[in-house]
Amino acid sequence: MANSKYEYVKDFEQPDPLLPNTWIVVRIDGRGFHKLSDFYKFEKPNDRRALDLMNAAAAEVMKDLPDLCIAYGVSDEFSFVFHPSSQLFERRSAKLVTTIVSTFTAHYIYLWATFFPSNPLKPPFLPSFDGRAVLYPSTRILRDYMSWRQVDCHINNLYNTTFWTMVLQGKMSNTEAEQELKGTVSSDKNEILFKRFGINYNNEEEIYKKGSVLYRQYALQEPKTIQTSTEDEAVVPEAQQSKTQQEKFKKLRRKAQVVIDHVDIIKDEFWERRPWIISGKPGKLLEQN
Amino acid sequence: MANSKYEYVKDFEQPDPLLPNTWIVVRIDGRGFHKLSDFYKFEKPNDRRALDLMNAAAAEVMKDLPDLCIAYGVSDEFSFVFHPSSQLFERRSAKLVTTIVSTFTAHYIYLWATFFPSNPLKPPFLPSFDGRAVLYPSTRILRDYMSWRQVDCHINNLYNTTFWTMVLQGKMSNTEAEQELKGTVSSDKNEILFKRFGINYNNEEEIYKKGSVLYRQYALQEPKTIQTSTEDEAVVPEAQQSKTQQEKFKKLRRKAQVVIDHVDIIKDEFWERRPWIISGKPGKLLEQN
Amino acid sequence: MANSKYEYVKDFEQPDPLLPNTWIVVRIDGRGFHKLSDFYKFEKPNDRRALDLMNAAAAEVMKDLPDLCIAYGVSDEFSFVFHPSSQLFERRSAKLVTTIVSTFTAHYIYLWATFFPSNPLKPPFLPSFDGRAVLYPSTRILRDYMSWRQVDCHINNLYNTTFWTMVLQGKMSNTEAEQELKGTVSSDKNEILFKRFGINYNNEEEIYKKGSVLYRQYALQEPKTIQTSTEDEAVVPEAQQSKTQQEKFKKLRRKAQVVIDHVDIIKDEFWERRPWIISGKPGKLLEQN
Amino acid sequence: MANSKYEYVKDFEQPDPLLPNTWIVVRIDGRGFHKLSDFYKFEKPNDRRALDLMNAAAAEVMKDLPDLCIAYGVSDEFSFVFHPSSQLFERRSAKLVTTIVSTFTAHYIYLWATFFPSNPLKPPFLPSFDGRAVLYPSTRILRDYMSWRQVDCHINNLYNTTFWTMVLQGKMSNTEAEQELKGTVSSDKNEILFKRFGINYNNEEEIYKKGSVLYRQYALQEPKTIQTSTEDEAVVPEAQQSKTQQEKFKKLRRKAQVVIDHVDIIKDEFWERRPWIISGKPGKLLEQN
């Protein structure tokens, strides 16, 4: 029995290749995590187990897809970054996004019991994530994107830390705390924490203040003293990266360890010491690996 | 600290709304399931547990998203169909596709242990799925899409059943069986099964021959005797379905039971007896629900 | 000298096929025609020469592209409609839209001197047009699109006729006329025209009230007495229209005369008497052709 | 009479914004110019009048759209380049492409009689153009695109010059010439021209060998001696170019003269002496303007 009579329906599939030589950021977000974090009794303002679970799942995604050069997570969101030279799945948008969302979800669900041994999953309330791809045409703008997420992390964490301290330690109602924080700036919140509760925000854990950065680890380099453009290295014309070279790089990347860091990614230092992230060229493997 | 300096990066997010008043099919496929089915020792030619697990996960997706009106699954793929009138997530493509892929994955991983109690998941070999959206502008073409998948199911299952019978019962090597089946038509395969192994293909289980259809159950209607177009009902201009009506329908759909069927969806009868699938208007609830 | 070093830049061209089996409407609009109509002293409220020029250019576009089945023009805009079965330029969006815009512009500029013999074009103030493609997934919605444009024509023409009569015959200032018309409904405007100026709007020329419809002329058919769906005929699966048949139809269409009509296209009658527009199947050629 | 009943059809218009901060190249091509150049008896291998007409029309497009920073033309094609910072028409693809195609066509048709006084246009054989937008994410790749077109110009012109000299002066048939040229490289063609016909290809006119470059003229700068990246200047985050600054730049650009040049645009010198093309910042106006 031939299937040709119906096969014309395949013509309705539309191509969705992403523009070559641009950074691809796939950002995923927890669906309904506000409600979910209540249901599973996440701790406020930050639940360390939930963040560690996010990071563990993200690390598996990084290991599974060596074309990813960096990822950044905060709260229930994670941004995965493909290098401009990546040709994975011919850069088809839906394929890239769904592969990341599904792989992440699979590990998140699988690892749940490890991080929440006493809060078992109860269907139909299973965590899930949506995602989308965004293109960034230059390294400068990609870094601004990363900075945007980390600044957002800081703003939200300072607010949440202050709010929940006022509620949990200060015995204020949610509405009272919200009301008082309306219109305050960072220094106001720092002061509330310090004067009323003796909390120095700077001493809060880095994972809460900075979010989580995942990347492959190689030997760190000295930070540059003279600023020069890394643009040209980063956005190499495809033609100049042969298939063979891409495959070789892919193998080398698989050998590197994926690390989870909680550091400043806004300043140049992070990027200068880890030039492989931007260049796409694997660095020198550490002996420890 | 204001985030405005970096917020311009949001302008790089591109809109991706799907054309209104068209059927949206989100088809998901297992990633690397050929290798995975070896790793977890799936039975050949069909592993009932694996199919039941697919169906169980798909049923959860249907329950989670009442805008889905039908789903069809075969092997490691599933097609989920949104009605043309659906406004879910403003019909944003990535949001719709990733939500389905992630929800499906979450339940698949969660339910694995139920269906494969003796083959526990072993990371990093976790099952995952990719997906894509395809638009079909008329009910006729949507039905042709569904027919395409069911014909494909039949063709593949007849081949696989014959192949694995030749290998497992006939003690042929994979290559020998492949060689002999090259160029055969359906009747040849039926004959091989019957003459050599005494197997009447028609007696094989319906789930293998027909795949699995999931939909909400209401009181069945009599099949039509006079053929009339269901087109006009199906593709109603949005303007004619108010927000209130959409919400009302959504609630009614949540009350209906999602059933898993293994029946012919190529002929008209299936659709005529279940007019709510095409019309998008909930039918009469069964008392049993 | 080989060009291969630079040829990788071709990879940046993105595909833009339009969804098969949907109506394609390419609507073009005059750029800055408000200013332009002042510059070339178009008559108010309607300049017959300008409309005839638009129609003449549109007729040439229709003759050039036999896949177009109907066009509708009003003021400085024109909508050209490709049949769902059209495979012209593999349905590439930019190719279809620019071809129409450029062909239209070429004839508009070329024919200007014929219609405006005493107002020669003065660069850089040359008329030009922009355009876009919009998809309509069913015949019902395509017809609603056409109705939308014709209702718009009526609304604008009634307003403009009343406004300019008040200004030109009533010696009111633009602001006074605008002020008085604010908030009026159709019957108010009809009354102003009739009571103050003795003008019966119904007697205005059809081209102003109805706009212009262009299509290929064949023998008219009797309007249907029993309403039946024309949907199925219209949106035939591609597979059912062979290349040969498409070519044959194309030739037949070239033989038909393109007519310019000013009639109601909202009611069914127009479409029922000219079934070839929706069906895409050429009718019976008139002997006069 | 309200139009609301039909206005829902507007929802079918899909957004088409082009990615911010990328170079936009709109390339237009003559439709059926092979046939057309026969019909209007264009001279072989190059018709100077036809090229001058192309350039004259392109210059008008440049003047009309100050956001264009450079254009390159060869044969019946022209590439228009918008700067990455351009926000014209909110970067809507169809709007940008059709505006260029239509403006170009309008001037081409209008100016025809000036350049071809003895070959008047004969409808329906009017010249027309199609077009498309392509995005280039970095200045390096944009320059490779420009180089690609200029190398193509050279390759085609050397071939055409040799071919037509063999046919017109050498009295060979088209087929004979074609046959002999098959598989030849540049040096072979140069030798045929020189040895058989005494033609030194280097002495051919620059417009034929190099094509035509159009840009706004400002005071030339010294070519750089030390190569530094111009990337960072070029691809400035939008946020850093205020609306006011954009408007100011637009006005300054209108004051500059658009020049038509036939020079090498592959080497760095062209770009270094005219840094305003890449930077998007108007240079110093010449007194002569």
Side-chain angles (χ1 to χ4, degrees), chain A:
Chain A
M1 179 151 78
N3 205 349
S4 58
K5 184 181 166 191
Y6 299 122
E7 263 174 3
Y8 79 92
V9 299
K10 287 207 296 197
D11 297 342
F12 290 77
E13 297 180 5
Q14 305 257 295
D16 66 342
L18 294 171
L19 190 69
N21 279 67
T22 50
W23 294 93
I24 303 171
V25 174
V26 175
R27 184 170 72 239
I28 71 173
D29 281 277
R31 288 181 63 217
F33 260 54
H34 190 74
K35 209 169 140 189
L36 209 90
S37 63
D38 284 349
F39 185 80
Y40 289 111
K41 301 192 171 33
F42 283 15
E43 286 164 19
K44 302 293 187 182
N46 292 294
D47 188 306
R48 182 61 192 246
R49 303 162 300 175
L51 293 180
D52 286 343
L53 172 52
M54 288 291 289
N55 290 343
E60 293 301 323
V61 173
M62 291 284 287
K63 285 179 206 162
D64 194 40
L65 300 170
D67 283 32
L68 289 170
C69 45
I70 190 168
Y72 177 76
V74 46
S75 181
D76 63 341
E77 82 168 42
F78 238 98
S79 299
F80 295 92
V81 183
F82 286 104
H83 195 264
S85 65
S86 175
Q87 297 302 319
L88 186 62
F89 306 141
E90 295 93 48
R91 297 174 74 85
R92 279 176 289 147
S93 181
K95 183 94 172 174
L96 289 167
V97 178
T98 55
T99 296
I100 283 186
V101 165
S102 182
T103 307
F104 187 90
T105 305
H107 288 281
Y108 190 95
I109 298 290
Y110 179 80
L111 291 168
W112 176 277
T114 309
F115 290 89
F116 288 100
S118 48
N119 307 24
L121 287 173
K122 291 199 181 74
F125 296 101
L126 296 192
S128 65
F129 299 83
D130 56 43
R132 62 183 306 167
V134 188
L135 296 178
Y136 291 105
S138 78
T139 303
R140 166 50 40 208
I141 306 179
L142 186 263
R143 281 196 45 195
D144 282 352
Y145 171 82
M146 303 299 275
S147 298
W148 177 52
R149 298 324 301 141
Q150 193 165 53
V151 170
D152 225 44
C153 168
H154 169 76
I155 292 172
N156 291 331
N157 190 58
L158 178 55
Y159 182 93
N160 292 337
T161 304
T162 316
F163 176 88
W164 287 106
T165 305
M166 291 162 83
V167 168
L168 298 176
Q169 298 188 28
K171 308 296 177 197
M172 290 170 78
S173 75
N174 286 15
T175 320
E176 285 167 350
E178 204 183 312
Q179 210 55 40
E180 185 171 346
L181 286 174
K182 197 168 276 176
T184 57
V185 295
S186 292
S187 55
D188 299 329
K189 297 191 194 74
N190 276 309
E191 202 174 292
I192 289 172
L193 284 172
F194 193 69
K195 295 226 169 128
R196 293 198 212 162
F197 305 101
I199 293 171
N200 185 340
Y201 181 73
N202 289 332
N203 296 340
E204 294 293 297
E205 288 194 57
E206 291 300 304
I207 188 175
Y208 304 146
K209 289 186 298 178
K210 296 279 197 296
S212 300
V213 198
L214 278 70
Y215 54 89
R216 290 168 222 290
Q217 189 63 287
Y218 301 100
L220 292 180
Q221 299 200 1
E222 284 304 301
K224 289 176 183 170
T225 44
I226 300 151
Q227 181 65 29
T228 62
S229 173
T230 57
E231 205 102 9
D232 291 317
E233 285 180 275
V235 194
V236 285
E238 285 169 79
Q240 292 176 228
Q241 254 199 30
S242 65
K243 281 251 164 187
T244 329
Q245 199 171 32
Q246 280 179 36
E247 282 312 307
K248 194 184 124 202
F249 282 178
K250 209 169 262 195
K251 271 180 201 156
L252 282 170
R253 282 186 208 117
R254 286 201 192 277
K255 288 187 187 159
Q257 202 190 335
V258 170
V259 295
I260 301 173
D261 228 344
H262 316 290
V263 294
D264 181 289
I265 56 171
I266 299 173
K267 298 200 199 79
D268 292 333
E269 191 189 334
F270 172 83
W271 306 91
E272 287 173 3
R273 300 202 68 183
R274 299 160 186 87
W276 58 84
I277 296 174
I278 296 299
S279 73
K281 290 170 200 148
K284 191 167 168 287
L285 281 173
L286 298 173
E287 305 206 358
Q288 298 305 85
N289 289 334

Side-chain angles (χ1 to χ4, degrees), chain C:
Chain C
M1 177 151 78
N3 205 349
S4 57
K5 184 182 166 191
Y6 298 123
E7 262 174 3
Y8 79 92
V9 299
K10 287 207 294 195
D11 297 341
F12 291 77
E13 298 179 6
Q14 304 257 293
D16 65 344
L18 295 171
L19 190 68
N21 279 66
T22 51
W23 294 94
I24 304 171
V25 174
V26 175
R27 184 170 71 239
I28 70 172
D29 281 277
R31 287 182 62 217
F33 260 53
H34 191 73
K35 209 171 142 189
L36 207 90
S37 64
D38 284 348
F39 184 80
Y40 289 112
K41 301 191 172 33
F42 282 14
E43 286 165 17
K44 302 293 187 182
N46 291 294
D47 189 307
R48 181 61 192 249
R49 302 162 300 177
L51 293 179
D52 286 344
L53 172 51
M54 289 290 289
N55 289 343
E60 294 299 324
V61 172
M62 291 284 287
K63 286 178 207 163
D64 196 40
L65 301 171
D67 282 32
L68 289 171
C69 45
I70 190 168
Y72 177 77
V74 47
S75 182
D76 63 341
E77 82 167 42
F78 238 99
S79 299
F80 295 93
V81 183
F82 286 104
H83 195 265
S85 65
S86 175
Q87 296 302 320
L88 187 63
F89 307 142
E90 295 91 49
R91 298 176 73 87
R92 279 175 289 147
S93 181
K95 183 94 174 175
L96 289 167
V97 177
T98 55
T99 295
I100 283 188
V101 164
S102 182
T103 306
F104 186 91
T105 305
H107 287 282
Y108 190 96
I109 299 290
Y110 178 78
L111 292 168
W112 177 276
T114 310
F115 290 89
F116 287 100
S118 48
N119 306 25
L121 287 172
K122 291 200 182 73
F125 296 102
L126 296 191
S128 64
F129 299 84
D130 57 41
R132 63 183 306 168
V134 188
L135 296 178
Y136 291 106
S138 78
T139 303
R140 167 49 42 207
I141 306 179
L142 186 264
R143 279 195 49 195
D144 281 351
Y145 172 82
M146 301 300 274
S147 298
W148 178 52
R149 299 323 301 139
Q150 193 166 53
V151 169
D152 225 43
C153 168
H154 169 76
I155 292 172
N156 291 332
N157 190 57
L158 177 56
Y159 182 93
N160 291 338
T161 303
T162 315
F163 176 87
W164 286 106
T165 305
M166 290 163 83
V167 168
L168 299 176
Q169 298 188 28
K171 306 299 176 195
M172 291 171 79
S173 73
N174 287 14
T175 320
E176 285 166 350
E178 205 183 311
Q179 210 55 41
E180 185 172 346
L181 288 174
K182 198 168 277 177
T184 58
V185 295
S186 292
S187 56
D188 299 328
K189 296 190 194 76
N190 276 309
E191 202 174 291
I192 290 173
L193 283 173
F194 193 69
K195 293 224 169 131
R196 291 198 212 164
F197 305 101
I199 293 170
N200 184 339
Y201 181 74
N202 289 332
N203 297 339
E204 293 293 296
E205 288 195 55
E206 291 300 303
I207 187 176
Y208 303 146
K209 289 184 300 179
K210 297 279 197 297
S212 301
V213 198
L214 278 71
Y215 53 90
R216 291 167 222 289
Q217 190 62 291
Y218 301 99
L220 292 179
Q221 297 198 2
E222 284 305 301
K224 289 175 183 169
T225 43
I226 301 152
Q227 181 65 29
T228 62
S229 172
T230 56
E231 205 102 7
D232 290 317
E233 285 180 274
V235 194
V236 285
E238 284 169 80
Q240 294 178 225
Q241 257 200 29
S242 66
K243 280 252 166 187
T244 329
Q245 197 171 34
Q246 280 180 35
E247 281 312 307
K248 193 184 125 200
F249 282 177
K250 210 169 260 195
K251 271 181 199 156
L252 283 170
R253 281 187 209 117
R254 286 202 191 278
K255 288 188 186 159
Q257 201 189 335
V258 170
V259 295
I260 301 172
D261 228 344
H262 316 291
V263 294
D264 183 288
I265 56 171
I266 299 174
K267 299 200 198 81
D268 292 333
E269 191 190 332
F270 173 82
W271 305 91
E272 287 173 3
R273 302 203 67 186
R274 298 161 186 85
W276 59 83
I277 297 175
I278 296 299
S279 74
K281 291 172 197 146
K284 192 168 166 287
L285 281 173
L286 297 173
E287 303 204 0
Q288 296 307 84
N289 288 336

